[in-house]
Amino acid sequence: MKNSIVSVLFIFITSMIYAQKIEIKGLVLDKQTMQPVEEATVQVKGTNIYASTDNEGKFSIETTEDKTLIISHISYQKKEVLASNAAKILLDEKKVSLDEIIIASNPLDDISHSIVVMDDAKKGSQPRNAAELFNDISGFSVQKRSATASEPSFRAFKYEEMNIKYDGGTKIVHACPNRMDPITAHVIPEEVSKIEVVKGPFTVRFGQNFGAIVNMVTRTPTPDDYGFHGSLQNGFETNGSNFIARGELLYAKEKYDVTLNAEHRKFGDYTDGNGIETPAAFTTNSYSVKMGYNPKSNQRFQLDWRQKFGKDIKHAGLPMDSPKDNSNSLGFDYKIQQVSDFIKSISVKSYVSAVDHLMTNEERPSFMKMDAQTTVTSQTYGGKLEFGLTPTKKMMLFTGVDADIINRDGERTRIIKLRPDGTPFPEYSRPVFIDKVWQDATSSDYGIFVEGTYKLSNQLALASGLRTDFVSASIKDPAEDTTIMGGMVVPGFESLYGPGFDAVSETT
C-alpha cells in the first residue's frame, strides 16, 4: 500500500513539474537558404500567447514543452511544431498563388470580414451548376429562375451590387436581360476547390462594388500532385433521369503543369412531391484547359481557357426557353514574389469572355399565335496590375490599376401568326416586329487603388484604402419609336431623352 501511494505521488509531482511553464527558445530559418526569417509570428496553439522572431530569426516564448507552436510568415507556409522541438524550425517558401485573393495566415495579409467556405459534401453532391455550392452558407441565398439560371445573393446585395469572379479576376457577364445565364452557369462546379467571400466594402483591391466580393477558386496543382493523374466520375438521379459524367487529367512537374477538365450534364424535368412535373431539363457540355509555367520558384505564368455549350434549356419562370447558351473565356496571369526587400510582389491579370444566348417560344403554347426569338450576346474583357509593397516590416501596401469593359447587344424578333380575332395571317403577310434589346451598349470601369495594412500587434492590424473609378456608358444603336398592333407607339431613345441628346456618342 505504501509503495502504491509513493508511486502515485511520484507520478503526480512529475506531471506538475512537466506542466510548469518554461521559456522556450528557438530559431526560425529559410529551408532553402538557411537564412534567418525575421518578423515570423510564433503562437502557442489555442491561446493568445504570441512572440516574434528578431533579425537573427530567434524568439523566446513562455509555455510548456507539450504545447504546439504555430509559426507563420507573410512569405512562408505555416508550420506547426512541438515546443520541445522548437530549437531549429525550417520554413518552406509559399508557392506562388495566382487565383486566391485571401491569405488568412498573417495580420498583414488577412482581409477584414473575409471567410473561406467550401466542403467535400458540396463538391460531391452532383450540383446542377456552381450556384448550388452556396446553399446553406450563412448569409447567402440562391435565386433560382430555372435549373441552370441560379445565382447567389448575399444579405441585401445581389446582381451587379456583388462582385463575383473566378480565379481572382475573370468575369463572365450575362447576356440575357432576364439573367438566365449568370456567371455560375458557366463554371464547372466540380472544378471549384473553395469559395472566398469578403462580406462587404472592406477592401478596394477587387473592384468598386460595395456588396460582397465572391471568388470561386479552381484547383491549382501543388508538389503533392507531381506526376500524371486522372479521374472519372459519373452520377445518375432517377427523378428526371439526370446524368452527369466528368473526367480530369493532370500532369504536373516543378516547372510546369497542365490540367484538363471535361463534363457532360443531361437533366430532365423533375416531379415534385405533389406529382406535378416541373420544366427543368437542360444539356451542357463543358471543358477547360489550365496551363502553368514556373520559370523560378517565385514566379508563375498561367493560361486558362474554358468553353461551355448549353442546349435544350427549359425555364420554368419565363414564357421562353433556351435552345442555345454558349460561352467561352480566356485568362492570362503572371505573378512574381519577393522581388526585393521593398517589393513583395507584382501581379498581372487579364481576361476576355463572351456569351452567346438564344431564347425562343417554340416549345410553348404561345408559339401558335406568335413566333418570338431573342438573340443576345455579351463580351467582357479587362485586367489588373498590382504591386505589393513592404515599406516597413510592420506594413503591407497594395497599389495598382484595373479595368472591366462590358459590351452587350441583341434583338428580339416577333412574327405575328394570328389576328386578334383568332384568324391566321397569310404566311407572306405576317407582321414582323424587331426590338433592340441592349442597343449595342458598352460600359467601362477604370479604377486606381491603394490599400495599406499596418500591424499593431500579432492580433490587431489597421487597414485603410482609397479607390477612384472612372465609369462611362454609351449606346451605339439607339432604339427608334416603334408602332405595335393597334397603332400604339412605343417611344424610342430619342423620344424619351429629347432630340438634343446625341445617342450615338454621348457618354454619361
Side-chain angles (χ1 to χ4, degrees):
M1 181 67 179
K2 291 182 180 179
N3 290 337
S4 299
I5 294 173
V6 171
S7 298
V8 171
L9 288 175
F10 177 76
I11 293 170
F12 178 71
I13 293 169
T14 303
S15 299
M16 288 184 62
I17 293 172
Y18 185 76
Q20 285 179 349
K21 288 186 177 181
I22 59 174
E23 185 181 19
I24 301 292
K25 293 184 178 182
L27 177 65
V28 180
L29 302 174
D30 184 302
K31 187 176 181 178
Q32 293 290 334
T33 65
M34 297 304 290
Q35 294 297 311
V37 177
E38 187 178 357
E39 287 294 321
T41 300
V42 182
Q43 178 192 6
V44 179
K45 188 174 183 178
T47 73
N48 292 323
I49 303 172
Y50 291 86
S52 297
T53 57
D54 59 19
N55 57 3
E56 296 181 349
K58 297 178 180 179
F59 71 91
S60 64
I61 193 167
E62 192 174 273
T63 185
T64 58
E65 290 188 332
D66 62 327
K67 293 293 186 181
T68 299
L69 302 181
I70 302 174
I71 297 88
S72 58
H73 189 275
I74 197 170
S75 303
Y76 294 88
Q77 295 179 21
K78 189 187 298 185
K79 189 170 187 177
E80 296 187 8
V81 299
L82 280 173
S84 57
N85 299 327
K88 181 188 286 187
I89 301 170
L90 303 180
L91 296 184
D92 291 304
E93 194 173 2
K94 273 183 182 174
K95 180 178 173 66
V96 178
S97 175
L98 293 169
D99 310 323
E100 301 177 8
I101 64 173
I102 301 167
I103 306 171
S105 61
N106 187 287
L108 290 180
D109 272 338
D110 195 15
I111 296 175
S112 176
H113 292 74
S114 61
I115 58 173
V116 177
V117 289
M118 198 60 196
D119 58 52
D120 293 332
K122 286 186 173 64
K123 285 189 280 188
S125 61
Q126 234 173 268
R128 283 168 169 77
N129 69 13
E132 294 192 6
L133 300 175
F134 293 84
N135 285 333
D136 304 320
I137 297 176
S138 178
F140 279 92
S141 60
V142 176
Q143 295 184 315
K144 188 172 183 178
R145 300 179 189 86
S146 73
T148 61
S150 301
E151 61 181 321
S153 62
F154 184 74
R155 295 174 181 165
F157 297 104
K158 58 183 180 180
Y159 307 150
E160 274 68 32
E161 296 170 342
M162 295 177 60
N163 188 0
I164 302 179
K165 303 172 180 282
Y166 72 84
D167 286 345
T170 303
K171 295 180 71 172
I172 300 178
V173 176
H174 65 94
C176 177
N178 292 299
R179 306 181 70 90
M180 308 306 283
D181 53 350
I183 183 174
T184 47
H186 303 285
V187 179
I188 299 175
E190 289 82 3
E191 274 194 274
V192 179
S193 61
K194 68 178 180 179
I195 299 171
E196 300 174 323
V197 182
V198 181
K199 297 182 180 180
F202 302 109
T203 178
V204 297
R205 294 168 52 201
F206 307 102
Q208 47 84 23
N209 302 68
F210 270 74
I213 297 170
V214 176
N215 182 35
M216 295 182 289
V217 183
T218 60
R219 186 169 175 266
T220 297
T222 66
D224 294 335
D225 298 317
Y226 287 173
F228 182 80
H229 307 270
S231 66
L232 291 173
Q233 301 172 349
N234 61 71
F236 181 79
E237 292 178 348
T238 56
N239 191 350
S241 297
N242 306 326
F243 178 73
I244 295 177
R246 176 178 175 268
E248 180 182 41
L249 292 176
L250 167 65
Y251 183 72
K253 298 187 73 173
E254 184 178 359
K255 287 290 186 181
Y256 62 89
D257 53 82
V258 180
T259 306
L260 305 176
N261 274 282
E263 63 135 19
H264 169 73
R265 276 175 159 77
K266 186 175 178 61
F267 280 65
D269 299 335
Y270 73 87
T271 304
D272 65 16
N274 295 319
I276 300 173
E277 189 174 82
T278 303
F282 69 90
T283 301
T284 60
N285 296 290
S286 308
Y287 74 93
S288 67
V289 182
K290 182 185 285 189
M291 296 181 289
Y293 174 60
N294 311 304
K296 295 183 179 179
S297 62
N298 66 331
Q299 295 183 55
R300 180 171 174 84
F301 293 88
Q302 184 170 286
L303 192 68
D304 183 285
W305 166 257
R306 61 184 63 239
Q307 266 191 305
K308 171 217 166 183
F309 304 94
K311 64 178 183 178
D312 303 331
I313 304 170
K314 293 184 180 180
H315 300 304
L318 286 179
M320 303 175 77
D321 301 310
S322 297
K324 181 177 70 172
D325 182 31
N326 299 339
S327 67
N328 60 71
S329 68
L330 176 66
F332 171 78
D333 299 83
Y334 169 73
K335 188 171 185 177
I336 180 171
Q337 293 180 327
Q338 306 304 320
V339 181
S340 66
D341 291 339
F342 178 68
I343 304 176
K344 180 208 170 188
S345 64
I346 302 173
S347 64
V348 180
K349 288 181 177 288
S350 61
Y351 74 93
V352 59
S353 65
V355 176
D356 185 4
H357 187 77
L358 171 65
M359 297 193 73
T360 74
N361 68 336
E362 290 181 5
E363 302 296 326
R364 299 300 182 101
S366 61
F367 186 71
M368 299 294 294
K369 299 179 180 179
M370 177 180 65
D371 180 358
Q373 293 194 21
T374 302
T375 303
V376 285
T377 60
S378 73
Q379 295 84 36
T380 310
Y381 53 96
K384 178 180 179 180
L385 171 64
E386 181 182 80
F387 296 88
L389 310 175
T390 50
T392 69
K393 294 172 183 178
K394 292 184 176 292
M395 187 176 184
M396 189 72 214
L397 197 67
F398 293 97
T399 183
V401 295
D402 56 28
D404 289 303
I405 297 93
I406 303 168
N407 176 259
R408 286 183 279 209
D409 199 10
E411 62 181 25
R412 178 178 60 186
T413 302
R414 294 173 293 143
I415 303 174
I416 309 302
K417 297 179 176 180
L418 297 181
R419 295 185 176 91
D421 61 4
T423 59
F425 280 106
E427 190 170 344
Y428 63 85
S429 62
R430 288 174 177 174
V432 178
F433 299 96
I434 298 177
D435 309 312
K436 296 175 181 179
V437 178
W438 290 109
Q439 304 177 83
D440 197 2
T442 300
S443 63
S444 305
D445 181 356
Y446 300 92
I448 304 173
F449 62 88
V450 59
E451 181 173 303
T453 305
Y454 185 79
K455 181 180 175 182
L456 299 174
S457 70
N458 289 312
Q459 296 174 280
L460 184 64
L462 176 65
S464 61
L466 179 65
R467 181 182 178 91
T468 299
D469 282 86
F470 302 90
V471 182
S472 64
S474 62
I475 60 171
K476 298 177 184 177
D477 187 19
E480 301 171 350
D481 291 356
T482 303
T483 303
I484 62 175
M485 290 187 65
M488 183 177 181
V489 177
V490 178
F493 196 90
E494 186 173 332
S495 297
L496 289 171
Y497 293 98
F501 191 95
D502 185 353
V504 175
S505 61
E506 181 114 0
T507 297
T508 58

